[in-house]
Amino acid sequence: MPKAHLTLDPHFTVGPVNRRLFGSFVEHLGRCVYDGIYEPGHPSADADGFRADVVELVKELGVSAIRYPGGNFVSGYRWEDGVGERAERPRRLDLAWHSTETNEVGLDEFARWTDLVGSELMYAVNLGTRGVQEALDVLEYANIKEGTRLSDWRIANGHTEPYGIGMWCLGNEMDGPWQLGHSTAEEYGTLASKTAKAMRQVDPDLELVVCGSSSAQMPTFGAWERTVLEHTYEDVDFISCHAYYEEKDGDLGSFLASAVNMDGFIESVVATADHVKAVLGSDKTINISFDEWNVWYIDRYHGVDKITGIDDWPVAPRLLEDVYSVADAVVFGNLLISLIRHADRVTSASLAQLVNVIAPIMTEPNGPAWRQTTFFPFAETSRLAQGEALTLKLTSDTYETAQYGVVNLVDAVATHDAATGSTSVFLVNRSMDEAAEVTIDVRALGAVAVTGARTLSDTDLYAKNTLADQDRVGLADNTSAVAADGTITITLPPVSWSALELA
Ligand code: AHR
């Protein structure tokens, strides 16, 4: 049986776990907004057309900040199309997803929805087809109290109080050739700097995110971050990271080790940001907003779902509706472990996305809403990861992967909340055929007991929750977890994710 050992000591910490790590992302894409969060004809819909069943699941998921309205969509979006009288809002071509945007939902409706689910709204401005003025306009509309044309327009539209949006993304994936307004790092860095300076003239306290590379696989990765930060270092607070993982060519072993890649990605971007800091002699530290991460079977979109043709611009088509397996959820839980492990520098993250589109929550029009397999690690981690991320001493048996070489079979992270005295440990076993035995030295925590242990695993690694079988996969109590003589022992089934609560 593979073995791993960890030592927990609350005196050695990485940094506080920012609640914003448990953010998500709602894009006007496919059925995320329309037929997802918003379906006026649905039996559970409220007076604004928002599905109450979806609201309940989003609350259960424990989502902090929600990035909106895109994504690729934002690079062609005119925010003002989505406010004011619904009957007068224009229908527009959405070039990013080859769809029709009806504009039934816009900033005002989405702000109301984020209030309903109890999340913070994080807004992305269009730096693809637009620029400084339009970013200033939407900021004025959203955050100025009253007495100007755009703030008074918001009030006339029925929203007396400003939204106080604190965190703003300066465009989206501007390094990607697929992006409307795709730019060089020089061009984008120049525009982002001007936009940030202008937005700070409205409110110096805004938190601004500049676009990093759209993935670590981009040919310009690294150089893009360096050049963009050279232009914007003193103007912004965060640089974004985006990463999606999938099982390719049946290589489950490498897929299960995806978090190794995420660790390296984060550390490279931190190194690049700190390099620019050193060169500029700055006192400021730039953190990471990992504002798109997930498992995504992107080839399916390119191979099957992609809409083309001058006459085909559907409203809310079924796009990117990946159905997640147990193995996907284990990788997903491991990605959360990687984010928490870097809590000192990753201080915001957005699971892409929230409903229907590569999402933990699925819906059927006029039908049910249900939890995908990935829902469970997210909800548990969001609920339990409190306080400080701990610096772990982890030793583990290893295995060989085609993509990442020799990696640990067991991965883990722990958090400790000094206020409540509770500790949480999140663990994965990447072994495809063997259970792993993990021992955890908790002597530095004093006398602790196991107050909860839940595991996601299945003999069928590809089991999924579907419309026909919505509760096929879930968490089960892990009764193997015991505490004795300052050591916790837990057995992790093959390909599993677990959360352990100690008090
Ligand atoms: O989340 C789906 C898409 O992935 C986003 O629109 C884009 O930013 C990224 O490429």
Side-chain angles (χ1 to χ4, degrees), residues 324-453:
Y324 292 117
S325 68
V326 169
D328 294 330
V330 171
V331 170
F332 178 101
N334 203 167
L335 297 177
L336 278 164
I337 288 173
S338 171
L339 293 173
I340 294 171
R341 176 158 48 228
H342 296 95
D344 55 336
R345 298 302 293 272
V346 183
T347 52
S348 183
S350 314
L351 162 64
Q353 299 192 4
L354 188 55
V355 181
N356 288 328
V357 172
I358 45 173
I361 298 168
M362 297 300 289
T363 70
E364 263 310 296
N366 212 23
W370 67 96
R371 301 165 190 80
Q372 292 238 49
T373 56
T374 52
F375 186 99
F376 302 102
F378 191 100
E380 283 288 276
T381 311
S382 173
R383 186 172 70 83
L384 295 174
Q386 306 285 347
E388 302 269 334
L390 299 185
T391 310
L392 274 197
K393 283 276 171 232
L394 166 67
T395 52
S396 167
D397 285 334
T398 58
Y399 73 113
E400 175 92 31
T401 64
Q403 279 192 49
Y404 309 117
V406 175
V407 304
N408 284 344
L409 274 166
V410 170
D411 195 16
V413 77
T415 61
H416 177 73
D417 187 352
T420 60
S422 60
T423 302
S424 303
V425 191
F426 306 95
L427 307 116
V428 290
N429 177 11
R430 297 168 176 156
S431 169
M432 287 168 275
D433 38 34
E434 286 186 278
E437 188 186 76
V438 181
T439 48
I440 310 174
D441 181 337
V442 291
R443 284 172 299 172
L445 290 170
V448 291
V450 175
T451 50

Side-chain angles (χ1 to χ4, degrees), residues 457-462 472:
S457 69
D458 202 286
T459 47
D460 177 1
L461 303 184
Y462 294 96
R472 165 72 181 78

Side-chain angles (χ1 to χ4, degrees), residues 25 27 29 71-72 97 172-173 178 242 244 292 296 320 352-353 358:
F25 175 30
E27 178 168 1
L29 190 184
N72 295 339
W97 302 107
N172 177 69
E173 295 191 347
W178 58 87
H242 290 181
Y244 293 101
E292 290 190 31
W296 176 13
L320 283 60
Q353 299 192 4
I358 45 173

Side-chain angles (χ1 to χ4, degrees), residues 469-497:
D469 197 355
Q470 293 164 24
D471 299 313
R472 165 72 181 78
V473 178
L475 295 171
D477 286 338
N478 187 327
T479 52
S480 73
V482 287
D485 303 329
T487 300
I488 311 281
T489 309
I490 183 169
T491 303
L492 309 176
V495 189
S496 63
W497 175 91

Side-chain angles (χ1 to χ4, degrees), residues 94-118:
D94 163 14
L95 300 185
W97 302 107
H98 211 281
S99 308
T100 297
E101 172 55 51
T102 64
N103 283 305
E104 282 166 82
V105 172
L107 174 55
D108 292 323
E109 289 81 17
F110 193 70
R112 201 152 52 232
W113 186 79
T114 51
D115 282 347
L116 273 183
V117 297

